[in-house]
């Protein structure tokens, strides 16, 4: 239930057995089935979710009802509306399951207590947030300045698992393309 | 809350479990129902879906699976069975809201089996130290769920617990079920709430209320 969570944690920051047991008391195991929501826009995001198994997506919906995928998450990743989680303001993202999923949730109050009680959890959090920031900067730069084909190639090189598991129209949405444009880009790449 | 919460009802085929399941199925909840008799469970699921085709309800395989998927777990089993059920759900109920409904009545209904300095809810909290145990629905009879307004007045339903967020969520739940929710205090107030139901049962037997009775605080 918590295997991958602690494997990832101890890779970043080694823990004693006592610390691991103490952290465990703050975690919420939760199963989500395909298509179920973890969070809907407008609610406050009360949890950070670590993905033990399965795949999720975070997305916003525009005025015409189109989904824009902000982030995918698969085993070993963390997904949430961090802005809403940290500020307590209503979420602007929806998060739902692309596949049946097993999650480890950390509620806001659990998160705050853990930060106070266990310095190693603070380190773990810092590393996670740093990682998320770097990924976001990369994504932003590539959206603004990389040509389409390069963006797609980078994405597939970085996240081959996601490309395999997730339907193409979702990849298109993530890249800010229509599915038609994406398939044109893919044809061009494979023709090379 | 817009995000649909999943509720596991353990003991869903019982008097109060089925009443709660029926009423909550009208809210924005997904229900996972568990009882030991699979045929009765299927009948209940069918009945709920027939009366409300939009209901999101399903029979669960076991308490642990239901509890794992759930955000909220309702224990609608006799007090005597709680130890056994708590053991099964302990791991998956970590940090979750667990609703204690039971009234620890003795066999002749003239007293409680718990010591005066504790309650069924506090005993459950000891069994599930990392869960947020909340007392609710123990002062309402199963029949009140079909008739929450008695003699022109909506029955009150008292809630007790130690976690503010959890109390808020259960308050919404109690209102969805059709009652007037009143947060009575922290978890040890359950002692009073469980004794209130003992009194109501005794009065019901004495004056023949026919199990349709409830509490109402009169105030200005
Ligand atoms: N009835 C009321 O009006 C009322 C009001 C307030 C509070 N309560 C409280 O609610 C609880 C249930 O009362 P009830 O009248 O609904 O009783 P009930 O009709 O006898 O139902 C009990 C339920 O618990 C299940 N159960 C029994 N032992 C179990 C075990 N060891 N493991 C798993 N499930 C078990 C039963 O399933 P199976 O039959 O399939 O075994 C059944 O679904 C009691 O604690 C009572 O104090 C009842």
């Amino acid at each position: 239930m918590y295997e991958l969570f602690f494997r990832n944690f101890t890779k970043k920051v080694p823990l004693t057995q006592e610390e691991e047991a103490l952290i465990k008391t703050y975690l919420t195991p939760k199963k989500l089935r395909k298509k179920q929501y973890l969070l809907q826009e407008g609610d406050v995001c009360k949890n950070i979710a670590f993905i033990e198994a399965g795949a999720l997506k975070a997305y916003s919906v525009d005025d015409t009802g189109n989904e824009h995928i902000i982030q995918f998450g698969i085993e070993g990743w963390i997904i949430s509306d961090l802005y809403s989680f940290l500020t307590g303001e209503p979420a602007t993202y929806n998060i739902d399951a692309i596949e049946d999923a097993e999650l480890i949730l950390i509620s806001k109050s659990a998160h705050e207590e853990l930060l106070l009680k266990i310095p190693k959890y603070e380190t773990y959090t810092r590393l996670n947030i740093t990682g998320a920031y770097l990924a976001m900067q990369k994504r932003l730069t590539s959206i603004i300045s990389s040509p389409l084909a390069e963006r797609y190639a980078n994405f597939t090189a970085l996240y081959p698992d996601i490309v395999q598991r997730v339907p193409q129209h979702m990849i298109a949405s993530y890249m800010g393309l229509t599915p038609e444009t994406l398939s044109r880009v893919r044809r061009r790449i494979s023709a090379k | 809350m817009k995000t649909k919460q999943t509720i596991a009802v353990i003991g869903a085929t019982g008097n109060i479990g089925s009443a709660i399941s029926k009423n909550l199925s009208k809210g924005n909840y997904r229900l996972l129902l568990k009882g030991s008799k699979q045929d009765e469970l299927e009948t209940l699921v069918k009945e709920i879906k027939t009366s409300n085709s939009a209901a999101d309800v399903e029979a669960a395989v076991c308490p642990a699976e239901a509890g794992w998927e759930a955000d909220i777990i309702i224990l609608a089993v006799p007090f005597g069975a709680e130890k056994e059920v708590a053991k099964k759900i302990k791991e998956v109920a970590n940090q979750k809201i667990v609703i204690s409904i039971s009234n620890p009545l003795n066999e002749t209904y003239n007293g409680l089996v718990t010591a005066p300095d504790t309650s069924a809810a506090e005993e459950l909290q000891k069994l599930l130290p990392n869960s947020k145990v909340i007392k609710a629905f123990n002062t309402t009879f199963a029949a009140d769920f079909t008739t929450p307004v008695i003699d022109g007045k909506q029955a009150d339903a008292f809630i007790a617990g130690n976690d503010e967020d959890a109390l808020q969520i259960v308050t919404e739940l109690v209102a969805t079920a059709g009652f007037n929710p009143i947060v009575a205090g922290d978890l040890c107030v359950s002692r009073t709430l469980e004794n209130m139901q003992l009194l109501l049962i005794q009065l019901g037997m004495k004056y023949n209320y026919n199990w349709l009775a409830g509490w109402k605080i009169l105030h200005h």
Side-chain angles (χ1 to χ4, degrees):
Chain A
M1 202 173 281
Y2 303 98
E3 294 73 21
L4 191 55
F5 177 84
F6 282 110
R7 215 188 308 146
N8 267 32
F9 197 120
T10 49
K11 238 194 274 166
K12 293 188 165 100
V13 200
L15 290 171
T16 66
Q17 266 180 358
E18 291 74 38
E19 285 165 334
E20 183 168 324
L22 180 59
I23 291 173
K24 217 182 240 180
T25 65
Y26 287 95
L27 308 177
T28 315
K30 159 90 181 154
K31 264 192 179 184
L32 209 61
R33 295 199 201 169
K34 186 173 172 173
K35 294 202 165 131
Q36 281 176 355
Y37 284 104
L38 178 66
L39 173 72
Q40 273 186 277
E41 181 185 346
D43 284 352
V44 174
C45 175
K46 293 206 163 126
N47 298 290
I48 301 175
F50 176 88
I51 305 168
E52 277 280 327
L56 288 87
K57 64 178 181 343
Y59 58 97
S60 61
V61 179
D62 67 21
D63 294 343
T64 55
N66 284 326
E67 279 187 15
H68 300 277
I69 295 177
I70 312 288
Q71 193 207 324
F72 292 110
I74 55 171
E75 288 85 1
W77 294 26
I78 287 170
I79 196 160
S80 83
D81 183 329
L82 204 57
Y83 190 92
S84 170
F85 181 80
L86 294 173
T87 61
E89 282 176 33
T92 52
Y93 295 172
N94 297 278
I95 302 176
D96 65 16
I98 307 175
E99 298 169 7
D100 286 356
E102 282 174 31
L103 309 172
I104 301 296
L105 307 180
I106 306 177
S107 71
K108 179 93 184 202
S109 56
H111 177 69
E112 274 163 8
E113 267 188 61
L114 280 167
L115 284 174
L116 283 177
K117 278 199 183 146
I118 304 177
K120 285 181 187 170
Y121 181 81
E122 194 170 27
T123 310
Y124 168 76
T125 301
R126 174 170 55 76
L127 292 171
N128 281 336
I129 293 187
T130 313
Y133 184 87
L134 295 180
M136 194 156 85
Q137 181 170 337
K138 238 193 214 154
R139 175 148 153 73
L140 194 64
T141 315
S142 105
I143 286 180
I144 294 172
S145 53
S146 304
L148 273 184
E150 191 181 312
R151 258 161 71 194
Y152 184 73
N154 284 344
F155 180 75
T156 48
L158 267 176
Y159 309 116
D161 298 357
I162 291 180
V163 178
Q164 286 240 312
R165 277 162 72 171
V166 167
Q168 282 301 315
H169 74 269
M170 289 187 193
I171 309 266
S173 162
Y174 176 83
M175 310 214 69
L177 308 174
T178 63
E180 295 72 35
T181 316
L182 179 64
S183 61
R184 233 181 301 124
V185 171
R186 291 178 62 215
R187 271 201 305 276
R188 234 186 300 145
I189 292 176
S190 58
K192 271 183 196 166
Chain B
M1 201 185 298
K2 255 168 85 182
T3 313
K4 197 181 252 188
Q5 300 290 102
T6 298
I7 303 177
V9 183
I10 317 291
T13 48
N15 284 314
I16 194 106
S18 58
I20 289 179
S21 303
K22 284 175 192 165
N23 285 24
L24 291 182
S25 71
K26 293 166 196 145
N28 181 32
Y29 301 110
R30 165 179 156 73
L31 299 181
L32 295 173
L33 309 184
K34 182 58 200 154
S36 50
K37 301 183 192 85
Q38 206 59 30
D39 50 335
E40 279 183 32
L41 203 57
E42 297 296 344
T43 310
L44 175 65
V45 168
K46 251 187 229 142
E47 197 185 326
I48 292 176
K49 283 190 172 157
T50 312
S51 73
N52 172 16
S53 59
D56 190 350
V57 53
E58 220 173 278
V61 239
C62 67
E65 271 298 319
W68 195 356
E69 264 193 73
D71 300 292
I72 301 163
I73 301 167
I74 300 182
L75 285 199
V77 301
F79 175 64
E82 288 191 345
K83 227 184 201 148
E84 185 193 328
V85 177
K87 211 194 266 168
K88 290 183 185 155
I89 62 164
K90 186 172 180 210
E91 188 166 25
V92 295
N94 215 54
Q95 289 287 330
K96 290 183 185 174
I97 296 174
V98 178
I99 299 182
S100 155
I101 297 182
S102 66
N103 289 305
L105 302 164
N106 67 15
E107 273 172 22
T108 52
Y109 292 175
N110 65 0
L112 301 179
V113 297
T114 40
D117 63 347
T118 185
S119 59
E122 289 162 280
E123 292 307 302
L124 184 63
Q125 182 70 77
K126 282 182 209 160
L127 296 170
L128 303 170
N130 302 321
S131 301
K132 298 163 185 170
V133 173
I134 302 285
K135 191 86 206 175
F137 295 122
N138 79 297
T139 61
T140 42
F141 287 125
D144 300 343
F145 283 76
T146 36
T147 316
V149 177
I150 304 166
D151 192 24
K153 291 163 216 76
Q154 185 189 30
D156 289 339
F158 302 96
I159 305 163
N162 301 334
D163 184 283
E164 278 309 315
D165 279 350
L167 285 170
Q168 183 56 43
I169 289 168
V170 176
T171 297
E172 272 179 47
L173 208 77
V174 167
T176 304
F179 299 104
N180 175 46
I182 297 180
V183 174
D186 63 22
L187 200 61
C188 66
V189 177
S190 305
R191 297 169 199 175
T192 308
L193 299 182
E194 290 168 17
N195 273 295
M196 280 167 70
Q197 190 68 348
L198 172 66
L199 176 64
L200 193 61
I201 288 172
Q202 289 171 341
L203 294 177
M205 293 193 299
K206 192 168 173 193
Y207 297 111
N208 209 1
Y209 295 157
N210 208 16
W211 302 106
L212 189 60
W215 293 91
K216 185 78 203 167
I217 305 279
L218 300 175
H219 60 93
H220 69 265

